[in-house]
């Protein structure tokens, strides 16, 4: 059998479809040419409320859907005509014609309806047929109401006279996409019939999957009326692809054949997921005599059924249905009721209510000859009977305005001509099927009926999206993984960096055997052994073997299809995650700075090292300022702060620096002085503690010193910087930190690192090397003259790269986590990566000296306390001086000013009693006044001193 490529098959089928539509249009014209002439401008009008209105109905009576809907339409017609209030005496006359799934016959039947003054058409059942006759409905303005043509494109503005009375496939495909996303799958295979119904439905599925970051990975189109051989060939191709999530969107007869062939090919076993549109639930509901073999073929399949809420009206109709079909079937198996039967019943009622509204608002049934067909007069057919329905547009408006409750629930249209609140039931075919949940465009997936959620605010949280447990094909309850490696014998092409340095991580084995070894390879092998399936792969070296290759370029080649994956020392950084999916990191890393260091030897003035010169200066100045402030606050009250100037200067100096050791002998008697002293002693306590800790570290731990303190030091000078060739460090330094590319020096081997660092920036070397911590720790393990300086300034890790949305990335991440939990990851690390031989508990990089900014807050608080205390003190002094000498006036201004200054200075320098001493003296004087006059008590005068 010759198999055409998908693209050629689609092009061929598209050409055939266009030819079919062209032939159909020409045959329509031929029929029109054979139709008799008519008199231009003649109107055929009837009364506003005629006794009978003609309604056409196009069915495909050989299908199971039409067998159900014919009975439902008959019941509905009888109900409408027996209701005196529905049409106010007017009867509906439904003329049923069989299209037999033929677009050509549908055109003929539609033309026949036009001859009988038909004002509306119920149907057609097929989307293909609807596309064919919608052009006639548009030309002659006759509304069509389809309950089964579910192609989403029929809702377009191209078909204004087509009204769909059941949910279209757009919502059905949204439900399937939600199911795929709910179970965590990312790729599906679409099996569909290659006509308007199948193509447009699968196109809607692709759009819905894309919104959820899923996709259709393979399409398997089937021509209408495919044979068993055609289906078998398509399924064989499907079985060769990776995805095992199969979505089937076909017609009922083709669908059952697909599952029969799938059963034969072993594609109904565990590991496969089959999801069908509602054609399968229609068969299960309608065909009560389905053979056990056919039923066995679909066990474990997920399908959808249009949801119709339970109501008394629905229960009454189901009861009448069962009674009627039993009487008609006699001894045969009766036809089961599907949702399409319910929608067909409501469609007749919907049309009846719209016609009644049409008549009540003045509409009448009248027809006008089509002026576009004036040139086609002549022929045997009576074309003058086919005219434009003048009330067609008005009737369409009334149809879209109907808001009624039927057996299917609420019938109301939105602005897009779609029914409001479309909903589906999710069916797991076990036996004849069991419901595991619902889907609606309002609440998504749920286990609650949608009508119970419409009154609640919409909640699209994944926590609320639930379905009951599923029994999958193969009678397993474990959710299938959803994918396998393609059964086409192709191995995964995995790119591996062919490194020339740091081969402990990954590199070719010595001897030219072409095998890779290293830490990264052992992690990959251990993770692959934990997978529950075989992983066929081929390792391909990437790089010329002379310089380290670019890891970013290796990742890019995955998106180009050169490699299927990449393993090795691949850092997970932002621009790479936009191209591929990474696994869970298996080692933490990040950019660090390494620079030459030297040991600091002790010297006689090592005790000065804890503080910077600026810190020493500010500290000494603070001591003097605090001493002076305390002297000012205590001078008038405290005898210890009085005396000759020389003594007072010595007191200030002694008091200031004795607070460093909390050894000051002078007592403070003023409140302000005590406050300032308490705050200052707290500052001294912090300074003492910090100085002691830093000095202890300097004298007891061997220190290493480097002029480079971290990445900040490199940003503040123009010295050359080394980086590992092929690393992302270069782009990061240039693009993120703004370092000139001319300063960067590429280095390959660890020996190049050491040579460049030893040479230094002034002798053709570099000031420092910026590289990932994992490499640097290995580099430093045997080179004690260098060290990491500063902090790690990026955070990332290493992972394995796979194409975006690859399920293998998820499985490998799970395996890496297992390696971490059971300790294997650490054992692999210890095997390949040596611990540092230079590490010593008594050696560390020089600690930064204590700077002024670390204590600026303390100095600010102390200074602010001194300033406030002085301000309060001088306010009190000025206030006391003003009050005491307010009455003293000297006529001469100059002498008065000089005298007042001298008087003020004398007042400031004058010794006064503290408030506590004055209060004691007053009490003593009061007691003396109360004693006998003969008693003499000596009271010392403090002014004598």
């Amino acid at each position: 059998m010759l198999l055409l490529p998908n693209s050629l098959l689609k092009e061929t089928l598209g050409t055939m479809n266009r030819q079919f539509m062209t032939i159909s249009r020409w045959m329509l014209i031929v029929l029109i040419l054979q139709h008799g002439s008519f008199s231009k401008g003649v109107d055929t009008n009837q009364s506003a409320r005629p006794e009978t209105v003609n309604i056409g109905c196009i069915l495909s009576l050989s299908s199971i859907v039409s067998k159900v809907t014919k009975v439902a339409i008959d019941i509905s017609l009888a109900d409408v005509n027996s209701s005196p209030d529905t049409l106010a005496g007017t009867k509906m006359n439904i003329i049923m014609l069989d299209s037999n799934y033929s677009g050509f016959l549908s055109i003929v039947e539609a033309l026949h309806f036009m001859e009988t003054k038909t004002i509306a058409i119920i149907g057609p059942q097929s989307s293909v047929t609807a596309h064919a006759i919608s052009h006639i409905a548009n030309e002659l303005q006759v509304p069509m109401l389809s309950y089964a043509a579910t192609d989403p494109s029929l809702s377009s503005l191209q078909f204004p006279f087509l009204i769909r009375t059941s949910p279209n496939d757009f919502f059905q495909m949204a439900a399937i996409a939600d199911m795929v996303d709910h179970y965590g799958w990312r790729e599906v295979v679409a099996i569909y019939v290659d006509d308007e119904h199948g193509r447009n439905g699968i196109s809607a599925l692709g759009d819905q999957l894309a919104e959820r970051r899923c996709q259709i990975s393979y399409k398997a189109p089937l021509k209408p009326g495919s044979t068993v051989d055609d289906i078998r060939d398509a399924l064989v191709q499907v079985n060769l692809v990776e995805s095992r999530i199969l979505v089937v969107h076909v017609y009922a007869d083709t669908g059952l054949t697909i599952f029969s062939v799938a059963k034969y090919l072993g594609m109904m076993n565990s590991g496969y997921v089959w999801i069908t549109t509602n054609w399968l639930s229609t068969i299960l509901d309608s065909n009560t005599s389905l053979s056990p073999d056919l039923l066995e073929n679909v066990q474990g399949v997920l399908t959808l059924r249009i949801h119709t809420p339970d109501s008394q009206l629905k229960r009454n109709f189901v009861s009448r249905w069962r009674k009627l079909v039993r009487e008609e079937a006699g001894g045969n198996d009766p036809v089961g009721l599907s949702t399409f039967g319910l929608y067909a019943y409501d469609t007749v009622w919907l049309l009846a209510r719209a016609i009644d509204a049409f008549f009540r608002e003045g509409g009448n049934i009248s027809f006008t000859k089509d002026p576009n067909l004036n040139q086609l007069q002549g022929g045997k057919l009576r074309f003058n009977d086919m005219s434009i329905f003048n009330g067609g547009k008005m009737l369409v408006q009334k149809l879209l305005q109907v808001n009624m409750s039927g057996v299917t629930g609420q019938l109301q249209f939105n602005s897009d001509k779609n029914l409001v609140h479309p909903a589906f039931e999710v069916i797991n075919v076990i036996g004849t099927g069991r419901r595991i949940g619902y889907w609606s465009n309002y609440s998504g997936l749920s286990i609650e009926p949608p009508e119970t959620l419409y009154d609640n605010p919409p909640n699209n949280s994944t926590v609320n999206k639930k379905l009951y447990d599923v029994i999958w094909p193969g009678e397993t309850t474990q959710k299938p993984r959803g994918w396998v490696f393609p059964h086409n014998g192709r191995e995964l092409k995995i790119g591996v960096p062919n490194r020339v340095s740091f081969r402990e991580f990954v590199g070719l084995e010595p001897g030219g055997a072409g095998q890779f070894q290293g830490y990264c390879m052992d992690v990959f092998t251990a993770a692959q052994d934990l997978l529950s399936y075989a992983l066929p792969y081929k390792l391909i070296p990437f790089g010329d073997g002379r310089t380290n290759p670019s890891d970013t370029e290796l990742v890019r080649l995955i998106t180009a299809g050169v490699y299927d994956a990449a393993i090795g020392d691949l850092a997970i950084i932002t621009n790479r995650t936009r191209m591929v999916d990474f696994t869970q990191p298996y080692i933490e890393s990040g950019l660090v700075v390494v620079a030459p260091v030297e040991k600091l030897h002790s010297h006689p003035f090592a005790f000065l090292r804890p503080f910077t010169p600026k810190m020493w200066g500010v500290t000494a100045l603070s001591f003097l300022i605090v001493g002076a402030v305390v002297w000012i606050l205590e001078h008038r009250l405290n005898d210890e702060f009085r005396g000759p100037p020389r003594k007072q200067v010595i007191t200030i100096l002694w008091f200031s620096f004795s607070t460093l050791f909390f050894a000051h002998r002078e007592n403070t008697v003023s409140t302000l002085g005590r406050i300032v002293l308490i705050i200052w002693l707290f500052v001294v306590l912090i300074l003492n503690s910090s100085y002691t800790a830093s000095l202890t570290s300097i004298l007891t731990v061997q220190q290493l010193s480097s002029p480079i303190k971290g990445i900040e030091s490199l940003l503040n000078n123009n010295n050359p910087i080394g980086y590992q060739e092929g690393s992302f460090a270069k782009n990061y330094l240039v693009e993120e930190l703004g370092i000139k590319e001319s300063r960067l020096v590429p280095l390959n081997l660890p020996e190049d690192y050491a040579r460049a660092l030893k040479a230094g920036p002034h002798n053709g070397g570099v000031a420092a090397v910026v590289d990932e911590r994992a490499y640097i720790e290995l580099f430093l393990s045997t080179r004690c003259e260098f060290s990491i300086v500063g902090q790690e300034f990026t955070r990332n890790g290493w992972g394995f790269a796979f194409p975006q949305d690859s399920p293998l990335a998820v499985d490998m991440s799970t395996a890496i986590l297992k390696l971490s939990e059971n300790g294997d990851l650490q054992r692999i690390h210890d095997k390949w990566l040596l611990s540092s031989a230079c590490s010593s508990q008594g050696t560390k990089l020089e600690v930064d000296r204590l700077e002024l900014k670390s204590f600026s807050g303390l100095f600010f608080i102390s200074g602010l306390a001194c300033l406030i205390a002085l301000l309060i003190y001088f306010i009190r002094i000025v206030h006391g001086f003003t009050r005491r000498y307010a009455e003293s006036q000297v006529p001469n201004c100059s002498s008065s000013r000089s005298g007042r200054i001298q008087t003020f200075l004398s007042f400031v320098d004058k010794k006064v009693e503290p408030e506590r001493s004055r209060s004691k003296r007053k009490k003593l004087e009061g007691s003396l006044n109360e004693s006998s006059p003969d008693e003499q008590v000596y009271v010392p005068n403090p002014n004598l001193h």
Side-chain angles (χ1 to χ4, degrees), residues 916-930:
R916 182 178 301 177
S917 299
R918 289 199 298 267
S919 62
K920 289 182 179 180
R921 186 168 60 84
K922 288 181 180 180
K923 291 181 180 180
L924 181 59
E925 289 178 352
S927 62
L928 290 175
N929 293 332
E930 294 177 359

Side-chain angles (χ1 to χ4, degrees), residues 414-693:
N414 59 22
S415 58
D416 296 328
K417 297 197 306 182
N418 292 315
L419 291 176
V420 298
H421 299 320
F424 293 86
E425 298 175 5
V426 183
I427 307 298
N428 182 204
V429 184
I430 297 299
T432 56
R434 65 185 185 96
R435 184 175 58 235
I436 62 171
Y438 303 88
W439 179 92
S440 74
N441 69 328
Y442 183 82
S443 57
L445 296 173
S446 69
I447 57 177
E448 301 293 334
E451 58 272 14
T452 64
L453 304 175
Y454 293 146
D455 295 333
N456 300 329
N459 190 343
N460 295 321
S461 172
T462 55
V463 177
N464 297 318
K465 293 184 178 182
K466 298 179 181 178
L467 292 174
Y468 289 114
D469 292 338
V470 178
I471 300 179
W472 305 98
E475 298 183 356
T476 178
T477 57
Q478 183 178 2
K479 185 196 77 172
R481 187 171 64 248
W483 68 279
V484 295
F485 283 97
H487 294 169
N488 52 14
R490 188 178 71 88
E491 297 177 324
L492 286 179
K493 295 180 294 183
I494 300 179
V496 185
N498 185 12
R499 296 189 56 85
V500 297
S501 64
F502 300 108
R503 292 174 179 265
E504 293 86 348
F505 292 104
V506 61
L508 286 171
E509 291 182 354
Q515 300 295 321
F516 285 93
Q517 65 176 5
Y519 169 74
C520 300
M521 291 305 307
D522 281 7
V523 172
F524 175 77
T525 303
Q528 179 237 330
D529 291 341
L530 293 177
L531 299 179
S532 60
Y533 48 86
L535 181 64
Y537 62 87
K538 179 182 180 182
L539 300 179
I540 302 175
F542 173 72
D544 56 13
R546 295 186 296 272
T547 58
N548 290 326
S550 170
D551 291 342
T552 301
E553 179 63 18
L554 174 58
V555 169
R556 190 195 65 80
L557 291 178
I558 297 177
T559 63
V562 177
Y563 300 114
D564 299 312
I567 62 176
D569 49 341
L570 306 177
I572 304 174
I573 57 177
T574 303
N575 64 328
R576 295 177 186 175
T577 57
R578 297 191 182 105
M579 295 185 285
V580 297
D581 283 348
F582 281 94
T583 62
Q584 172 79 15
Y586 58 86
I587 188 173
E588 296 298 327
S589 188
L591 292 179
V592 295
V593 177
V594 62
V597 294
E598 60 181 10
K599 295 181 181 179
L600 285 180
H601 301 286
S602 182
H603 57 82
F605 296 97
F607 65 90
L608 295 176
R609 191 181 299 168
F611 286 168
T612 61
K614 186 183 294 186
M615 179 66 182
W616 278 117
V618 172
T619 302
L621 183 61
S622 299
F623 275 101
L624 294 177
I625 292 174
V626 171
V629 169
V630 173
W631 177 84
I632 293 173
L633 297 175
E634 294 289 322
H635 178 67
R636 300 185 75 227
L637 302 174
N638 196 337
D639 290 336
E640 294 180 354
F641 288 86
R642 298 183 63 81
R646 180 181 177 184
K647 177 185 175 182
Q648 295 181 42
V649 171
I650 294 174
T651 300
I652 292 174
L653 295 175
W654 165 256
F655 179 84
S656 299
F657 292 102
S658 63
T659 57
L660 179 62
F661 311 101
F662 303 96
H664 52 282
R665 296 176 301 176
E666 294 78 9
N667 294 321
T668 53
V669 297
S670 67
T671 303
L672 293 177
R674 290 174 177 176
I675 293 176
V676 170
L677 183 60
I678 289 174
I679 295 175
W680 174 244
L681 290 178
F682 174 75
V683 174
V684 170
L685 176 65
I686 300 300
L687 292 176
N688 276 337
S689 301
S690 303
Y691 176 85
T692 303

Side-chain angles (χ1 to χ4, degrees), residues 778-793:
L778 187 60
F779 169 74
L780 296 177
S781 62
T782 56
R783 295 174 175 86
C784 305
E785 65 271 29
F786 310 109
S787 178
I788 295 174
V789 293
Q791 299 295 321
E792 186 174 353
F793 56 94

Side-chain angles (χ1 to χ4, degrees), residues 292-305:
D293 291 339
L294 291 177
L295 194 60
E296 178 65 23
N297 292 339
V298 295
Q299 295 300 294
V301 175
L302 294 180
T303 186
L304 297 175
R305 177 194 291 135

